[in-house]
């Protein structure tokens, strides 16, 4: 018979122990970008709900923003950096292929020999990472896991693109996931549709770009760097027709209904999508709904933790409240789960 393999001791429940965020210093109101896209403040607010967004300064990097958010999450959770067994970082705007941002962040936080890796799942990335972290804790593979969602999407913006320039923004959010006396992170409802990659994508890969640069240098011409592009109409239609099922699946997995919720924290993609989901799900008026997009914009993988923090900081929701999270975007991918909201620093 084969020799038995020892297994880690499983933990029954996992929860979010603490939350921290980092919002870049520079606030960019609509008035600052409307001329370049031949638009208006009223048009942007009507189309998206956005009044302002944060764009990172040169010293506010993927790593530095992640470290700042992580430190606050550790403080809120009462967990020290040397108690973290793994770092799971979600981003779509890290401009190098390696090393992983997660590994660098772990070292910056003073961690040693800590497992760390990145996840690329677009705007669903944080919820993907949260599901992975919860499963690591429940399986006994890790005691505490640091989960980070972070973006510098301003690096990928064509500031003259009427479809994207007013939407995307920068920031970071982090949570500590660890053992809990009762379940604090419900089973994930997730999926993807690679047939819809054209809806949100980088308009050229870097091999194409390098070839264009070489050709331009040889001919004395010019080349255009890669940018993020989005078909807003396609994304909106997919979101308002498909995501009701994703929300209801997450609620079903947790054994709850919309009436059991205290808060709803969807990805901050567009306030019209949020409002449509609230109506479709029939959420009671007592449910606090995250609308952080108004002052923060669409920060992709950082969106949900930043929106959770805004709800708690404003007093609209409280630590321990039952909240439905839903991330969705590039892929097209989605992921959602019911959680108990954590304390903030």
């Amino acid at each position: 018979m084969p020799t038995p393999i020892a297994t880690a001791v499983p933990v029954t429940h996992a929860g979010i122990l603490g939350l921290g965020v980092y919002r870049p210093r520079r606030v960019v109101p609509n008035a600052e970008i409307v001329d370049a896209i031949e638009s208006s403040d009223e048009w942007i607010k009507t189309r998206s709900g956005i009044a302002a967004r944060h764009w990172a300064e040169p010293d506010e990097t993927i790593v530095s923003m992640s470290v700042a958010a992580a430190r606050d999450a550790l403080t809120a959770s009462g967990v020290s950096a040397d108690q973290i067994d793994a770092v799971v970082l979600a981003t779509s705007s890290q401009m190098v292929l390696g090393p992983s941002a997660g590994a660098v962040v772990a070292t910056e936080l003073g961690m040693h020999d800590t497992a760390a890796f990145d996840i690329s799942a677009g705007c669903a990335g944080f919820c993907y990472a949260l599901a992975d972290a919860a499963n690591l804790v429940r399986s006994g593979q890790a005691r505490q896991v640091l989960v980070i969602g972070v973006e510098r999407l301003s690096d990928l913006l064509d500031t003259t693109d009427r479809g994207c320039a007013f939407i995307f923004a920068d920031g970071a959010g982090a949570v500590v996931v660890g053992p809990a006396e009762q379940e604090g992170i419900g089973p994930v409802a997730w999926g993807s549709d690679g047939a819809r990659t054209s809806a949100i994508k980088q308009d050229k890969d870097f091999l194409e770009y390098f070839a264009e640069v070489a050709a331009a240098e040889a001919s004395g011409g010019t080349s255009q760097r890669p940018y993020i592009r989005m078909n807003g109409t396609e994304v909106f239609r997919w979101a308002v027709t498909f995501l009701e099922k994703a929300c209801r699946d997450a609620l079903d997995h947790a054994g709850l209904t919309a009436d059991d919720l205290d808060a709803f924290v969807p990805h901050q993609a567009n306030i019209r999508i949020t409002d449509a989901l609230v109506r479709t799900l029939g959420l009671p008026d007592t449910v606090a709904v995250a609308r952080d997009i108004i002052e923060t914009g669409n920060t992709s993988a950082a969106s949900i933790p930043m929106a959770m923090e805004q709800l708690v900081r404003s007093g609209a929701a409280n630590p321990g409240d039952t909240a439905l999270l839903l991330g969705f975007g590039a892929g097209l991918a989605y992921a959602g789960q019911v959680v108990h909201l954590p304390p903030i620093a």
Side-chain angles (χ1 to χ4, degrees):
M1 293 181 62
T3 302
I5 299 173
T7 59
V9 178
V11 172
T12 304
H13 301 304
I16 306 177
L17 309 183
L19 166 65
V21 305
Y22 181 84
R23 300 174 191 273
R25 298 185 299 272
R26 182 186 172 197
V27 178
V28 181
N30 289 339
E32 192 171 322
I33 64 174
V34 292
D35 289 345
I37 60 173
E38 299 180 349
S39 185
S40 68
D41 175 63
E42 180 182 3
W43 185 86
I44 292 173
K45 288 178 178 176
T46 301
R47 297 280 294 183
S48 67
I50 298 172
R53 73 285 294 145
H54 294 252
W55 284 351
E57 300 284 8
D59 65 316
E60 295 172 311
T61 66
I62 291 288
V63 169
S64 71
M65 292 191 293
S66 296
V67 168
R71 284 181 173 144
D72 280 351
L74 291 167
T75 298
S77 67
V79 173
S80 62
D82 61 6
Q83 293 176 297
I84 296 294
D85 298 314
V87 177
V88 187
L89 185 147
T91 188
S92 296
S93 50
Q94 170 77 332
M95 299 301 280
V96 299
L97 296 177
S100 73
V104 179
V105 169
T107 296
E108 289 291 319
L109 289 169
M111 300 176 190
H112 301 284
D113 198 24
T114 302
F117 58 95
D118 294 354
I119 286 179
S120 177
C123 305
F126 177 81
C127 289
Y128 269 67
L130 185 63
D132 285 348
N135 287 332
L136 286 171
V137 171
R138 292 191 196 102
S139 70
Q141 189 67 50
R143 184 72 177 172
Q144 275 95 206
V145 180
L146 177 63
V147 177
I148 301 168
V150 58
E151 303 288 4
R152 262 187 63 122
L153 292 168
S154 58
D155 290 335
L156 291 167
L157 281 182
D158 174 356
T159 55
T160 66
D161 181 353
R162 189 178 175 89
C164 285
F166 67 95
I167 290 283
F168 294 107
D170 306 334
V175 298
V176 175
V177 175
E181 293 184 0
Q182 60 179 345
E183 191 54 62
I185 303 173
V188 67
W190 55 2
S192 65
D193 183 359
R196 297 177 182 267
T197 55
S198 62
I200 311 173
K201 64 180 293 186
Q202 186 172 302
D203 59 9
K204 67 183 73 170
D205 65 40
F206 283 101
L207 286 177
E208 290 178 274
Y209 173 58
F210 296 151
E212 288 181 9
V213 170
E217 289 176 348
S219 66
T222 61
S223 59
Q224 179 176 286
R225 51 158 295 180
Y227 291 113
I228 188 172
R229 304 293 182 186
M230 180 174 69
N231 182 329
T233 300
E234 182 178 354
V235 174
F236 182 84
R237 288 174 178 168
W238 172 77
V240 298
T241 57
F242 178 79
L243 292 179
E244 177 190 1
K245 179 182 182 301
C247 290
R248 296 201 185 279
D249 284 349
L251 288 168
D252 288 346
H253 292 345
L256 301 174
T257 70
D259 290 336
D260 297 311
L261 294 175
D262 299 306
F264 178 43
V265 189
H267 164 51
Q268 302 295 286
N270 186 304
I271 205 162
R272 294 189 300 153
I273 293 175
T274 296
D275 291 343
L277 287 171
V278 168
R279 290 192 300 270
T280 301
L281 293 170
L283 295 184
D285 292 340
T286 54
V287 174
V289 179
R291 291 188 171 86
D292 189 42
I293 190 171
I294 296 171
E295 299 297 333
T296 303
N298 179 339
T299 55
S300 190
S303 168
I304 285 178
M306 294 178 75
M308 280 198 293
E309 189 269 349
Q310 191 277 332
L311 270 187
V312 174
R313 175 168 44 83
S314 69
N318 299 298
D321 282 355
T322 300
L324 172 62
L325 312 183
L326 180 70
F328 56 89
L332 292 173
Y334 70 91
Q337 57 266 94
V338 176
V339 306
H340 291 155
L341 292 176
I344 62 176

